[in-house]
Amino acid sequence: MSTTLITRIGSLVTNDPGAGDGSPLGLLRDAAVVVEGERIAWVGPADRAPDADEVYDAQGRAGLPGFVDSHSHLVFAGDRTEEFAARMSGRPYAAGGIRTTVAATRATTDTELEANLVRYLGEALRQGTTTFETKSGYGLTVADEERALRIAARHTDEVTYLGAHVVAPEYADDPAAYVALVTGPMLDACAPHARWVDVFCERGAFDADQARAVLTAGAARGLVPRVHANQLGHGPGVQLAVETGAASADHCTYLSEADVAALAASDTVATLLPGAEFSTRAEWPDARRLWDAGVTVALSTDCNPGSSFTSSVPFCIALAVRDMGLTPDEAVWAATAGGARALRREDVGRIAPGAYADLLLLDAPSHVHLAYRPGVPLVSRVWRRGTREV
C-alpha cells in the first residue's frame, strides 16, 4: 500500500491524550500524520516524520479527526418550508409534522430517495463529516421502511431502524396494532439492513411501555438500542435508554437530577442536537450540567427536513459553545470522539495509529475557530479512509 505524509500541521487534535499535551484533545503542535491505505500508520512531530511515497504540506493549518455525526434522518423526500416559516412566526413545534414527510417519502421512487441521500452526504462531507449514522422512519410501512434501510446501507454501516418514529396514519386509532407491526413483520424485513433500533419516546409518539416493547424486540434480533429521549418535555426516555443499555439517549433537553445521575452511571451517551433547538426555538439542553456530572456527551446534526435541516457539524459546534455551555475544546471532542462513542466505535473520531484515516484541515490555525468564526466555511481538506475527498 502507498503511504502519504501530511506534514506541517500547525495544531493537530488527536483525541489521544497520550500522544499530545495530555488534555482530552491530545493536542500536538507542528505535527504530521502518515496514512497507509485506509488507516493511520504514524502520528507525531513533523520533524520526526518518516518518509512516505507522497507528501502533502498542510502549511500550518489546524487538523482534527473527521466529524462523527451519530444522529441523522437522511432518507426522505419533500420539503417543509411552510412549516418552518409558520414556526418562526410563533407556532410551536410538535411531532405531527413528521407525517408530512411520510406522505412525500412514500410517493417517491428508490432512485429519487437515493439521489437525495447522496446529495446530503456530499454536503456533509464538504463540511468535514466522515462518519454518519442515518435512520428510517419516514415510510412507516413494511415496504417503505425496508427500502429506506436498504438504500442507507449502501452508503454507511451505521443504519438505524426507526419504524417507531410516530404511529403511522393508518393506525392512528389503534397504536397497539402499529407497535405489533413494528415489532413483528416490519422488524423482520428491516433487521437484516440495520445495526441499531431506535424509538421516539415522547408525547405524540410512543410511551414508555410501547418504546420498551420496540427496543426489546429489536435487541432480540441483534439490534442495539438508541432512544429519542426527553426532547419535548420531561419523560421516561432517558431512564428507558439506560435501562435497556442503549448506546445513546438523543436530544436530552429536559432532564431531572435522576436522569443526569443515571446517564453518568451508565455507558449511554447523551447525544445533543443543537440544530433542533435552533430550528424550533426550543429550550437549549444544558450541556455544561451533563459534562460536569461526568456524562459522555456527543454532538450531532439531527439533519432532517422538519426540525433541524442542517448537515453542518461546525454549525452545531458553534451553537454548543455559544448557547449550551461547552468550551470549544469540549464541543470539538463531542463532535468527534463523543460521536464515535455514541456509535460504539474506536476506529473513528481520533487520529492514532490503527484508526481510519479520517481527518480534515481547516483554513485556520486552531480548532477553536470552528466556534470563533461561526458560519465561515473553514473546512478546506478532507480525507476519508485515506482518500482525499475534498
Side-chain angles (χ1 to χ4, degrees):
M1 289 182 287
S2 65
T3 56
T4 300
L5 169 65
I6 306 170
T7 190
R8 289 217 303 151
I9 303 170
S11 171
L12 178 66
V13 172
T14 68
N15 289 334
D16 180 1
D21 61 358
S23 71
L25 290 188
L27 204 62
L28 271 172
R29 306 286 182 183
D30 301 317
V33 176
V34 174
V35 174
E36 183 174 11
E38 294 187 336
R39 304 277 178 167
I40 292 169
W42 182 90
V43 181
D47 60 5
R48 293 191 220 158
D51 293 334
D53 299 317
E54 298 179 15
V55 177
Y56 182 88
D57 185 352
Q59 298 180 331
R61 294 183 178 94
L64 60 156
F67 300 125
V68 181
D69 192 348
S70 62
H71 183 127
S72 74
H73 304 249
L74 298 180
V75 186
F76 69 88
D79 182 88
R80 282 155 67 181
T81 302
E82 292 182 6
E83 176 190 321
F84 175 78
R87 196 162 60 238
M88 294 302 102
S89 301
R91 191 175 79 190
Y93 172 70
I98 293 167
R99 294 179 179 87
T100 303
T101 302
V102 169
T105 302
R106 288 179 178 182
T108 300
T109 67
D110 288 16
T111 299
E112 291 168 327
L113 279 179
E114 187 158 18
N116 235 18
L117 171 64
V118 169
R119 179 159 66 95
Y120 295 124
L121 292 182
E123 196 176 87
L125 182 65
R126 290 190 295 274
Q127 297 173 90
T129 297
T130 52
T131 301
F132 74 97
E133 177 270 0
T134 201
K135 310 173 192 296
S136 65
Y138 291 126
L140 309 186
T141 68
V142 172
D144 285 304
E145 288 293 292
E146 188 276 337
R147 72 168 177 152
L149 295 174
R150 175 167 33 86
I151 289 168
R154 291 201 280 260
H155 299 275
T156 181
D157 296 330
E158 305 298 346
V159 178
T160 300
Y161 169 48
L162 184 59
H165 201 180
V166 294
V167 175
E170 298 86 352
Y171 291 85
D173 297 327
D174 193 358
Y178 185 65
V179 172
L181 179 70
V182 168
T183 58
M186 189 183 287
L187 176 61
D188 291 339
C190 291
H193 305 296
R195 181 184 178 199
W196 310 96
V197 59
D198 200 346
V199 60
F200 193 12
C201 183
E202 200 71 64
R203 67 177 185 265
F206 299 89
D207 64 24
D209 290 339
Q210 293 167 329
R212 185 179 291 104
V214 169
L215 298 176
T216 300
R221 293 296 303 271
L223 305 183
V224 181
R226 320 182 72 77
V227 182
H228 281 63
N230 300 54
Q231 176 187 6
L232 305 179
H234 292 284
V238 164
Q239 295 291 337
L240 180 65
V242 172
E243 171 196 326
T244 58
S248 66
D250 298 31
H251 288 289
C252 293
T253 308
Y254 296 91
L255 301 179
S256 67
E257 288 301 319
D259 292 331
V260 175
L263 287 167
S266 74
D267 293 328
T268 299
V269 174
T271 300
L272 307 183
L273 309 166
E277 280 70 40
F278 178 87
S279 296
T280 61
R281 288 182 173 161
E283 180 177 325
W284 295 103
D286 190 346
R288 180 80 267 138
R289 177 190 183 197
L290 288 164
W291 196 281
D292 288 347
V295 177
T296 301
V297 174
L299 275 181
S300 293
T301 63
D302 190 21
C303 187
N304 75 82
S307 61
S308 183
F309 205 4
T310 179
S311 57
S312 175
V313 173
F315 175 63
C316 293
I317 288 171
L319 291 179
V321 172
R322 169 63 178 81
D323 293 303
M324 291 163 51
L326 293 184
T327 68
D329 283 10
E330 291 164 348
V332 166
W333 188 94
T336 52
R341 291 200 186 180
L343 295 176
R344 294 186 172 170
R345 298 276 297 269
E346 296 184 352
D347 55 354
V348 296
R350 63 193 185 103
I351 296 178
Y356 279 117
D358 295 350
L359 64 153
L360 57 93
L361 297 176
L362 305 178
D363 273 332
S366 166
H367 61 280
V368 176
H369 280 235
L370 290 164
Y372 180 42
R373 304 194 67 207
V376 178
L378 294 177
V379 176
S380 64
R381 299 288 184 271
V382 180
W383 284 263
R384 183 176 182 276
R385 296 203 171 183
T387 298
R388 184 178 151 190
E389 304 280 3
V390 175

